[in-house]
Amino acid sequence: MPRERSGAFAPGRVNLIGEHTDYNRGLALPFAIGEGVTVHARARDSAAADRIFAHARDLDETDEFDLGKPRPARGWRAFVRGTVAELARAGYPLRGAHVDIAGDVPLGGGLSSSAALEVALCLALIQLGADADGETETELDRREIAQLCARVEHRWVGAHTGLLDQLASLYGRLDAASLIDFATLRIEYVPLRLGTWRLAVADSGERHAHASSPYNRRRAECQRACELLGVASLRDAEVQRLERLPEPLRARARHVLSENQRVLAAAEALRSGDLLALGALLNRSHASLRDCYEVSTAAVERTVRGVHEAGAAGARMIGGGFGGYVLGLFAPSIPLPDGVREVRPGAGAHLLGA
Ligand code: GLA
């Protein structure tokens, strides 16, 4: 018996530390947040059985296209059409559906609104296409879904992003950060025991789209550094050999190698409850992103300064860079400044049992 309805929720994420390491087969330590995207899908009647009708509730915009051959589009429609096309290409049985999308992750702010959309849509459409007594959620390969969503970004959006956002959303766990090794895609959970310390994000006010920012150029620079070093990925590069690289490739590689070390140190700081050490690592990560990876902007720098002036023990830009949110870590005695919002680890992506 086919299902008539399905629903799924996928969270956004905050990356505690480990920026621009995912596409370098490195390490990162993100956590899923409470905010995310919810998708409800309802099978369409036979007359429109091969078409998707999508409603983006927050924007009050719609889209309609053929299941078999969606054409390229811009903005949120590119993510929806691309997800449908990549699901079909991967062989998932799909049905025409009315898809309702609602979310509360700020768009383009570095909290992974797009991954949340792709992941929620994947889970809801896979569920709707599966026989009611057939495949269940537990049988879905979540790593495969993350890779499928990354192909949406590459082929439909033009952003050559890694797997950080999708894995963080798919594998998020309440009260834990996910230590992801992108060389093996193994995930180890590290309890996010903050006590009365708080993590909070401040908006730089600047929005970004990875496809049009220098994000893709950074990825290409890392690729070029690997070619010159004769390694398959920067994970295999030795720090002593970076000297032979020309600038700015040397600085890019230095960021990636040192950021991997900071991820391990941050996991250790969390395990031992040393939140001051975690704050210092956030600061060092930011300095490296600004000076070596050169993905900060004047607005982001102003925001980081503001968070420090408010008394944060550590602060850094999060996500791909060129705008978006800044993460701050605040000790118990420090009140959160106005306009800064607290973020807590939330549940990973899941079906809603429609
Ligand atoms: C964006 C991308 C991720 C990752 C980060 C930087 O969020 O989508 O794949 O590369 O930037 O760490």
Side-chain angles (χ1 to χ4, degrees):
M1 271 279 289
R3 283 187 174 78
E4 285 311 306
R5 288 170 190 277
S6 67
F9 169 81
R13 61 104 188 91
V14 160
N15 192 15
L16 198 51
I17 196 159
E19 224 64 90
H20 291 278
T21 49
D22 61 347
Y23 53 82
N24 287 304
R25 291 168 62 85
L27 303 167
L29 191 59
F31 62 90
I33 53 177
E35 292 82 3
V37 172
T38 301
V39 169
H40 286 285
R42 178 163 42 84
R44 298 189 74 174
D45 60 29
S46 52
D50 58 351
R51 286 176 77 71
I52 295 280
F53 178 85
H55 180 207
R57 195 173 276 273
D58 313 309
L59 306 169
D60 198 20
E61 289 177 4
T62 60
D63 192 20
E64 188 163 7
F65 57 89
D66 273 351
L67 208 47
K69 241 194 170 63
R71 295 165 61 83
R74 288 171 172 277
W76 68 275
R77 294 180 180 87
F79 293 99
V80 174
R81 293 181 182 206
T83 302
V84 169
E86 294 302 327
L87 281 169
R89 190 202 280 249
Y92 286 96
L94 296 178
R95 300 173 62 197
H98 186 291
V99 174
D100 185 81
I101 303 164
D104 54 1
V105 198
L107 303 178
L111 302 181
S112 289
S113 49
S114 49
L117 169 58
E118 296 149 11
V119 168
L121 196 56
C122 271
L123 294 186
L125 292 182
I126 291 173
Q127 170 87 340
L128 191 71
D131 282 345
D133 53 355
E135 194 172 15
T136 64
E137 188 195 4
T138 50
E139 289 167 84
L140 294 173
D141 181 342
R142 290 187 168 228
R143 287 178 177 83
E144 186 181 305
I145 293 177
Q147 278 155 343
L148 188 149
C149 293
R151 291 198 291 277
V152 174
E153 301 270 353
H154 300 176
R155 294 175 178 156
W156 290 78
V157 183
H160 295 279
T161 52
L163 293 175
L164 169 71
D165 310 338
Q166 292 84 3
L167 289 176
S169 180
L170 281 157
Y171 286 93
R173 211 180 251 188
L174 272 177
D175 298 325
S178 308
L179 174 54
I180 307 177
D181 183 334
F182 292 95
T184 57
L185 299 190
R186 267 200 63 223
I187 296 168
E188 189 186 324
Y189 291 102
V190 181
L192 202 46
R193 278 192 225 103
L194 296 176
T196 45
W197 288 63
R198 286 133 308 144
L199 286 164
V201 289
D203 191 357
S204 72
E206 217 169 0
R207 290 291 168 262
H208 63 254
H210 297 319
S212 54
S213 79
Y215 180 98
N216 290 345
R217 203 180 326 136
R218 290 293 177 277
R219 186 167 183 162
E221 286 167 347
C222 291
Q223 186 55 43
R224 181 73 189 129
C226 288
E227 284 160 20
L228 293 175
L229 292 169
V231 291
S233 78
L234 285 179
R235 186 67 177 276
D236 305 324
E238 288 164 24
V239 74
Q240 308 87 294
R241 296 184 63 215
L242 300 189
E243 291 311 314
R244 64 174 64 179
L245 289 173
E247 292 294 5
L249 303 190
R250 193 190 308 164
R252 307 292 189 249
R254 213 178 318 119
H255 164 74
V256 174
L257 268 63
S258 61
E259 187 77 348
N260 285 336
Q261 294 306 315
R262 283 187 288 272
V263 171
L264 292 175
E268 208 32 59
L270 272 181
R271 287 190 193 104
S272 59
D274 190 348
L275 296 173
L276 273 177
L278 179 65
L281 288 161
L282 299 186
N283 291 339
R284 269 186 255 144
S285 170
H286 183 75
S288 178
L289 286 160
R290 180 192 60 216
D291 302 335
C292 296
Y293 221 69
E294 296 185 275
V295 287
S296 191
T297 64
V300 169
E301 289 310 307
R302 265 197 308 280
T303 313
V304 169
R305 261 198 312 279
V307 171
H308 277 300
E309 281 160 15
R316 65 173 210 88
M317 45 156 289
I318 46 174
F322 309 104
Y325 279 83
V326 163
L327 177 68
L329 174 65
F330 291 87
S333 56
I334 309 291
L336 289 188
D338 285 347
V340 162
R341 63 193 225 190
E342 189 173 352
V343 280
R344 292 168 187 272
H350 53 270
L351 292 171
L352 293 175

